[in-house]
Amino acid sequence: MNSYQQAQTAIPCTNPANGEYLGDVAIDTPDDVKAAVARAREAQKAWANSTFKQRRAVLNHISDYILENVDDVCELIVKDAGKTYENALLGEVMPTCNKIKWLNKYGEKHLKSEKVGSGLLMHKKGRIEYVPLGVVGCIIPWNYPLQNIISSLVAPLMAGNAVILKPSEQVAFASNKFVKITNQALEKEGFSKDTVQLVQGYGDTGAALISARVDKILFIGSVGNGRRIIQASAEHITPVVMELGGKDPMIICDDAHLEKAVHSAIGGCFINLGQNCVASERIIVMAPMYDKFCQRAGEIANSLRQGEAKRGGNVDVGAMTTPIQVDITEKLVTDAIAKGATVLAGGKRPEGNGCFYPPTILTDLTDDMDIVTTEVFGPVMLVFKANDEEHAIAMANDSNLGLQSSVITHDRARGDRIASRIESGAVCINDFGLCYVNQDLPFGGTKYSGYGVMNGRDGLRAYTTPKAILADRFPLEIPPALFPVGSKDYDSAKASMRLLFGRGIGYRLKNLMALIGVSIMAKFSK
Ligand code: NAD
């Protein structure tokens, strides 16, 4: 945090495409954050006792509101994040409503108490109860202002928790409006709006949320800040889910359909101008396809229309969301060009106002270029040539990051074979990013991309404590009398172990006889 931010009491919000001032958002102090957590803790008591029917109703109100007001919602996203209307709709509204639909269909099934076996303890029965944690803190980035807010909160909410969100300072304006959708939905069903709250500010507001002792943190953001959050979470032993950056590879096999492969790469890389954790930043093309791929990808990237999105369809790609991200992108590309990279498209920041950087394709990349290993989180496609399948897999795995990945091939067996060898949290065969859309799948990374998952059954149960209950199967209530220890207890326990866990019928029969013998001796020695 710099001294300017320290003195600030509000975040000035602007439209990144044209600099238009949108308004100020007040910054919450550490005391405000503590008070918000206390209110959430109180509100959660009633919410934890809500029925699944009530929870579904709240989630439905959120989804209904978004769909009924979709033009206004998209306009707000476009103004605060600079993206296109199409990306607001397909990249934000669709996954958000899809997640709500999934939670409403499967949430109860995955959260209700579950019977399990009782193993050796035949007189007992076991069950798992998924108990809400309490207050979940979500510290989130700026790339999908609606999606990051709503999709982060609905799973912990469905699991019976209160939620405090700390959105990115870069999209504070839209975030304030979007959280109100949830507040209204809660109030409609008779629950306190304090069940879901927002705290606004820079990184130190996120740090204050961790210090205020929430029961779990979902952190979605950069690897560097992820490390800071892990360190801070040690203070109260707060569990964390880490959804961090990526440098996702897309392997294009030599049998792939050229046009489909190029569109997969262009989509995977330039959707939301690469400001996508699962952007396909590294395109690894097998040698026989390489030249044709580069030529066609260059043609398409050079033809993309960039500018301010004023309505659906007036541009292909919009502005980047933050000037900082434009600077990062420019620096990485400039370094690569200076070290010998070839530019097939873009590669130069345009003159004029607005956070613009053009779709860029670089080839002839070498290991001394920072861009080869650093996440760009901007509109840059790096194209590498692989000699064969083995080489392509080795290149894909040559990264500290392992979020998602793609394989493009006509050969299904080959796709499965390559997918099983890529080191990442997910592999999408013949597409990009769709693993996130399938809510039945877990979403998360490996290596420095983080740990824990957001989606699917495990992502939902992550917002609960799986509480083990062992109850009587029959009304016998027999506690074993272990004391005083008898002279034959050790021998009978030994025979019992061998009877229960030994292998081979003969061995077990022998120990059954031993157990009977020891029991008779024990009876007579009393
Ligand atoms: P960031 O790490 O700069 O910020 C993320 C959030 O953390 C913001 O709300 C920020 O204010 C807050 N923060 C910053 N310092 C903090 C601190 N010390 N303590 C607590 N909170 C702090 O990330 P960003 O620039 O907003 O987002 C881009 C990054 O997020 C990229 O690396 C991208 O790959 C990653 N990302 C990952 C996923 C995923 O699901 N894996 C999804 C989207 C984005």
Side-chain angles (χ1 to χ4, degrees):
M1 194 177 55
N2 59 37
S3 54
Y4 169 67
Q5 287 168 1
Q6 258 162 13
Q8 269 185 285
T9 54
I11 304 167
C13 305
T14 52
N15 179 335
N18 59 18
E20 176 201 355
Y21 170 71
L22 301 174
D24 273 7
V25 166
I27 291 176
D28 289 292
T29 64
D31 283 343
D32 295 336
V33 175
K34 259 193 214 158
V37 173
R39 287 196 302 275
R41 218 166 267 299
E42 197 50 40
Q44 193 262 343
K45 290 177 189 160
W47 181 247
N49 287 323
S50 60
T51 62
F52 284 110
K53 192 173 169 206
Q54 287 171 312
R55 294 180 197 177
R56 281 192 289 269
V58 169
L59 263 55
N60 275 333
H61 292 318
I62 298 172
S63 180
D64 292 349
Y65 180 93
I66 293 172
L67 293 173
E68 279 307 302
N69 298 279
V70 74
D71 291 336
D72 294 343
V73 166
C74 287
E75 190 179 348
L76 189 52
I77 295 170
V78 168
K79 281 195 165 170
D80 208 7
K83 60 177 69 183
T84 61
Y85 281 83
E86 291 76 13
N87 188 261
L89 197 58
L90 295 172
E92 306 229 26
V93 171
M94 188 274 277
T96 303
C97 293
N98 184 41
K99 179 148 192 157
I100 289 177
K101 192 171 179 182
W102 186 89
L103 285 168
N104 276 352
K105 193 164 178 196
Y106 298 109
E108 180 170 0
K109 177 181 162 201
H110 295 316
L111 292 169
K112 72 181 182 201
S113 147
E114 191 185 3
K115 286 183 191 159
V116 293
S118 55
L120 279 185
L121 308 170
M122 283 179 284
H123 61 302
K124 295 280 186 187
K125 53 184 183 178
R127 69 174 191 274
I128 305 169
E129 288 185 357
Y130 294 97
V131 182
L133 296 170
V135 181
V136 173
C138 304
I139 303 177
I140 51 182
W142 44 261
N143 57 339
Y144 290 95
L146 173 80
Q147 216 256 123
N148 285 334
I149 291 256
I150 306 287
S151 292
S152 297
L153 74 87
V154 283
L157 198 63
M158 176 50 98
N161 301 282
V163 184
I164 308 248
L165 298 131
K166 153 60 185 98
S168 168
E169 54 275 25
Q170 305 291 349
V171 286
F173 189 75
S175 305
N176 253 0
K177 313 248 172 198
F178 291 147
V179 80
K180 292 202 175 95
I181 303 173
T182 307
N183 298 151
Q184 284 162 10
L186 282 159
E187 285 182 324
K188 254 190 193 173
E189 291 302 312
F191 293 96
S192 166
K193 67 177 170 40
D194 289 339
T195 313
V196 175
Q197 296 171 65
L198 208 64
V199 291
Q200 293 272 21
Y202 294 87
D204 53 339
T205 308
L209 183 56
I210 301 168
S211 296
R213 198 167 184 172
V214 289
D215 301 296
K216 185 150 196 169
I217 294 284
L218 165 66
F219 177 73
I220 311 179
S222 59
V223 175
N225 285 330
R227 280 202 188 92
R228 291 187 184 96
I229 272 98
I230 292 168
Q231 279 167 354
S233 70
E235 187 186 355
H236 298 303
I237 321 284
T238 309
V240 288
V241 175
M242 282 285 136
E243 297 287 355
L244 308 178
K247 186 87 185 160
D248 293 359
M250 174 182 278
I251 294 179
I252 297 183
C253 296
D254 44 18
D255 66 290
H257 184 285
L258 175 70
E259 199 62 15
K260 288 181 187 170
V262 171
H263 279 284
S264 293
I266 293 275
C269 200
F270 298 134
I271 274 194
N272 204 24
L273 276 180
Q275 301 166 115
N276 195 355
C277 56
V278 294
S280 311
E281 291 201 7
R282 295 182 295 140
I283 310 297
I284 300 163
V285 188
M286 290 189 192
M289 290 277 284
Y290 181 81
D291 290 340
K292 285 179 275 180
F293 175 90
C294 288
Q295 193 201 339
R296 186 69 186 120
E299 274 167 22
I300 297 179
N302 279 309
S303 72
L304 295 179
R305 299 163 300 157
Q306 182 167 40
E308 182 182 351
K310 298 208 163 137
R311 55 175 197 285
N314 75 310
V315 288
D316 296 309
V317 288
M320 293 183 74
T321 302
T322 87
I324 306 164
Q325 209 58 42
V326 181
D327 291 345
I328 292 171
T329 306
E330 184 181 38
K331 191 166 171 233
L332 286 166
V333 172
T334 307
D335 169 73
I337 295 171
K339 289 173 180 164
T342 302
V343 181
L344 300 185
K348 197 169 182 323
R349 187 181 194 152
E351 303 281 321
N353 293 329
C355 293
F356 291 101
Y357 199 90
T360 294
I361 302 184
L362 301 180
T363 60
D364 299 319
L365 299 143
T366 47
D367 287 348
D368 58 335
M369 301 170 184
D370 292 342
I371 204 163
V372 170
T373 47
T374 309
E375 180 188 33
V376 182
F377 213 58
V380 184
M381 179 193 291
L382 309 179
V383 190
F384 301 86
K385 191 196 285 187
N387 301 333
D388 53 23
E389 191 173 309
E390 208 54 39
H391 188 207
I393 294 168
M395 286 168 102
N397 290 340
D398 187 17
S399 173
N400 274 338
L401 297 162
L403 193 53
Q404 307 253 318
S405 54
S406 298
V407 185
I408 311 293
T409 174
H410 197 57
D411 177 341
R412 288 191 185 195
R414 189 181 206 186
D416 288 339
R417 186 171 68 232
I418 294 176
S420 70
R421 294 186 57 199
I422 299 185
E423 297 162 357
S424 66
V427 188
C428 193
I429 301 173
N430 288 329
D431 222 312
F432 58 88
L434 285 188
C435 292
Y436 184 84
V437 179
N438 182 348
Q439 289 287 321
D440 281 308
L441 291 172
F443 179 85
T446 58
K447 305 189 199 177
Y448 288 4
S449 292
Y451 50 79
V453 294
M454 286 205 294
N455 294 343
R457 183 197 63 187
D458 295 343
L460 180 57
R461 287 183 178 169
Y463 296 113
T464 64
T465 299
K467 190 173 184 178
I469 313 270
L470 193 63
D472 285 332
R473 189 178 297 280
F474 313 106
L476 295 176
E477 297 167 36
I478 2 165
L482 292 177
F483 299 105
V485 177
S487 62
K488 297 292 171 197
D489 282 4
Y490 179 79
D491 292 336
S492 70
K494 188 168 70 180
S496 303
M497 298 296 119
R498 287 174 169 169
L499 171 64
L500 287 168
F501 306 118
R503 289 186 298 122
I505 193 97
Y507 183 80
R508 294 179 72 191
L509 266 179
K510 193 172 109 190
N511 282 289
L512 176 62
M513 299 313 291
L515 181 61
I516 294 168
V518 172
S519 305
I520 294 168
M521 279 167 67
K523 198 166 172 85
F524 286 111
S525 66
K526 270 186 187 163

